[in-house]
């Protein structure tokens, strides 16, 4: 009997242990489904509209290929945006012969000068009053006092010796003497080719409002048309949006622009970095745009001289182009003289030579500075900057 009681006790204990183990297992399984286990992340519903094709695909068990009609609405799926199309670079036409092609624009504003002179000189029996009228016409054309006296003196001699009064003969005299004043022998090439192992450096200066930054952009186009590798330097750090304007010009023809993202940055530092970058890029030429200096502010002119000195610490400057507004007359002459003293100008760019400009400024500024007019702006178009051609210019004046 005692043995039977012991057996029942053993069975009872075993049953209790089994029940306790089963309860423990159930508890563990429930615990893992709660706080401490792996969380199931549900995919958020899409909001894309359902189309007839979508419903048919669902019924037939066909999966829609990724990206077909799927909006980027989350759910862990990255939808690649289409790449922006590569902008088409403009290819400027060659500048050779451009002044001759655009001569009509120039002649519209200057032909009147030639017409008045021809009428006076071919009238016959020129008296002192007639010669004074000739002088006045030349002075009004911004030729300058010295050049006017020289031209009138030579014309007086020719009329006195030859006595001819027919228009064609007088026109020939006028063309010959004007061409001599413009001086076709001056070297009007722009230094835009590599010098040894370094790029050529062009510094562009001028006062506000002359079209300086636009001229730099147009010059880049002229050089790109000649297959030059160009780098632009946006050292005009004081005028709002000047760097943006220059960069836009460069991007249109694939030319990089070195600039500071900080307005009012040191222009000398930007110019230095531009020359350095051009050397690393192995460019043919770097063109530095500078702030529009007020020619009557000595401090600003000193700062421009500083830009020049800083550039020369790593490279000589091969060209200093002064941009003058051709419509400013004697004020432009004063600007030319002050800039010539500050930075040793090597060439003149006459912007806005079309319209109301008077052609005599070409002769006047060349005499004042002793440097040639190298480029002229003849309009608002991107390719209206042309190398200066003395013969085409004189022909445009006298018609």
């Amino acid at each position: 009997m005692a043995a039977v009681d012991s057996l029942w006790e053993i069975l009872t204990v075993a049953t209790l242990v089994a029940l306790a183990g089963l309860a423990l297992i159930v508890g563990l399984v429930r615990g893992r489904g709660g706080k401490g286990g792996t969380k199931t992340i549900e995919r958020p519903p899409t909001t894309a509209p359902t189309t007839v094709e979508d419903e048919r695909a669902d019924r037939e068990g066909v999966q829609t290929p990724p990206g077909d009609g799927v909006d980027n609405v989350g759910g862990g799926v990255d939808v690649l945006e289409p790449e922006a199309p590569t902008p088409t670079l403009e290819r400027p036409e060659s500048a050779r012969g451009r002044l001759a092609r655009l001569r009509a624009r120039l002649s519209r504003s200057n032909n009147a000068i030639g017409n008045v002179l021809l009428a006076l000189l071919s009238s016959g029996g020129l008296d002192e009053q007639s010669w004074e009228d000739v002088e006045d016409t030349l002075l009004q054309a911004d030729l300058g006092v010295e050049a006017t006296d020289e031209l009138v003196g030579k014309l007086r001699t020719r009329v006195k010796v030859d006595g001819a009064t027919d228009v064609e003969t007088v026109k020939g005299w006028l063309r010959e003497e004007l061409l001599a004043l413009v001086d076709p022998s001056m070297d009007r090439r722009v230094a835009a080719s590599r010098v040894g192992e370094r790029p050529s450096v062009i510094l562009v200066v001028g006062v506000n409002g002359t079209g300086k930054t636009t001229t730099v952009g147009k010059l880049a186009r002229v050089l790109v048309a000649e297959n030059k590798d160009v780098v632009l330097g946006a050292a005009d750090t004081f005028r709002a949006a000047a760097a943006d304007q220059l960069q836009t010009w460069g991007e249109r023809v694939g030319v990089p622009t070195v600039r500071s993202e900080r307005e009012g940055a040191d222009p000398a530092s930007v110019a230095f970095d531009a020359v350095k970058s051009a050397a690393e890029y192995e460019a043919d030429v770097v063109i530095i745009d500078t702030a529009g200096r007020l020619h009557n502010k000595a401090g600003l002119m000193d700062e421009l001289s500083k830009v020049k000195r800083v550039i020369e610490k790593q490279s000589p400057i091969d060209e200093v182009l002064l941009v003058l507004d051709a419509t400013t007359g004697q004020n432009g002459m004063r600007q030319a003289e002050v800039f010539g003293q500050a930075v040793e100008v090597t060439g003149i760019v006459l912007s806005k030579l079309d319209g109301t400009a008077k052609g005599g400024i070409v002769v006047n500024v060349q005499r004042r500075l002793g440097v040639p007019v190298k480029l002229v702006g003849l309009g608002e178009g991107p390719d209206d900057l042309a190398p200066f051609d003395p013969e085409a210019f004189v022909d445009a004046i006298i018609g």
Side-chain angles (χ1 to χ4, degrees), residues 34-307:
K35 295 181 181 181
T38 302
K39 297 173 71 174
T40 301
I41 302 175
E42 295 184 1
R43 185 184 184 91
T46 63
T47 57
T50 302
T51 64
V52 174
E53 287 76 14
D54 293 333
E55 293 176 350
R56 184 182 302 116
D58 290 340
R59 289 196 301 269
E60 297 173 357
V62 179
Q63 294 185 348
T64 304
D68 286 356
V70 178
D71 292 335
N72 187 7
V73 292
V77 178
D78 292 327
V79 178
L80 297 179
E81 297 291 337
E83 293 184 1
T86 303
T88 302
L89 296 180
E90 298 177 12
R91 182 64 183 174
E93 62 179 78
S94 174
R96 301 180 188 278
R98 189 180 288 176
L99 182 59
R101 179 174 61 82
L102 299 174
R103 203 174 82 185
R105 295 185 184 179
L106 187 61
S107 64
R108 282 199 297 269
S109 58
N110 289 289
N111 227 350
I113 301 170
N115 291 338
V116 170
L117 290 174
L118 288 174
L120 288 169
L121 294 172
S122 61
S123 62
L126 287 168
D127 55 18
E128 286 303 313
Q129 182 59 50
S130 298
W131 284 115
E132 287 182 9
D133 292 341
V134 171
E135 290 181 351
D136 290 343
T137 300
L138 293 172
L139 289 172
Q140 290 172 9
D142 287 335
L143 195 66
V145 175
E146 292 182 4
T148 295
D149 289 344
E150 181 180 331
L151 179 57
V152 169
K154 290 182 177 181
L155 290 174
R156 274 179 176 262
T157 301
R158 287 204 166 193
V159 170
K160 184 177 181 179
V161 171
D162 295 338
T165 57
D166 63 284
V167 174
E168 288 305 315
T169 300
V170 172
K171 186 175 182 178
W173 293 345
L174 187 57
R175 183 184 189 280
E176 191 175 317
E177 298 300 341
L178 280 174
L179 189 58
L181 287 176
V182 174
D183 194 356
S185 67
M186 300 184 84
D187 185 2
R188 302 178 191 277
R189 293 173 297 178
V190 176
S193 299
R194 288 182 65 83
V195 182
E197 297 300 317
R198 68 171 180 83
S200 173
V201 179
I202 299 176
L203 186 66
V204 181
V205 301
V207 301
N208 289 319
T210 58
K212 182 170 45 57
T213 301
T214 297
T215 295
V216 173
K218 290 182 178 182
L219 177 56
R221 295 178 66 89
V222 169
L223 298 179
V224 167
E226 299 296 328
N227 297 315
K228 301 289 186 182
D229 289 326
V230 183
V231 171
L232 300 178
D236 184 352
T237 59
F238 294 98
R239 185 170 65 87
D244 292 338
Q245 181 185 359
L246 189 63
Q247 183 173 339
T248 299
W249 275 103
E251 287 174 347
R252 292 170 67 178
V253 288
V255 169
T257 300
V258 177
R259 57 176 295 180
S260 173
E261 296 302 326
R262 181 171 61 86
E263 187 174 342
D266 181 16
S269 175
V270 175
F272 184 91
D273 290 342
V275 175
K276 181 180 178 181
S277 297
E280 295 172 350
Y281 182 66
E282 297 184 351
D284 294 306
V285 58
V286 53
I287 311 173
I288 309 296
D289 181 29
T290 60
R293 305 297 177 189
L294 297 174
H295 66 282
N296 58 345
K297 299 292 186 181
L300 294 178
M301 297 306 296
D302 290 342
E303 189 171 282
L304 182 58
S305 298
K306 174 190 172 184
V307 171

Side-chain angles (χ1 to χ4, degrees), residues 204-212 215 293 295 321-340 345 347-354 357 361-362 364-366 368-369 371-373 375-378 385:
V204 181
V205 301
V207 301
N208 289 319
T210 58
K212 182 170 45 57
T215 295
R293 305 297 177 189
H295 66 282
L321 296 177
L322 171 61
V323 180
L324 291 177
D325 183 338
T327 66
T328 58
Q330 290 304 309
N331 190 43
M333 294 301 99
R334 289 191 292 273
Q335 294 172 18
E337 291 173 342
V338 175
F339 276 97
V345 173
I348 305 295
V349 181
L350 285 177
S351 64
K352 308 175 188 179
L353 192 56
D354 62 335
I361 192 173
V362 171
N364 203 351
V365 72
Q366 287 186 162
R368 291 283 187 94
L369 292 187
V371 298
V373 172
L375 298 160
V376 290
L378 299 171
L385 184 71

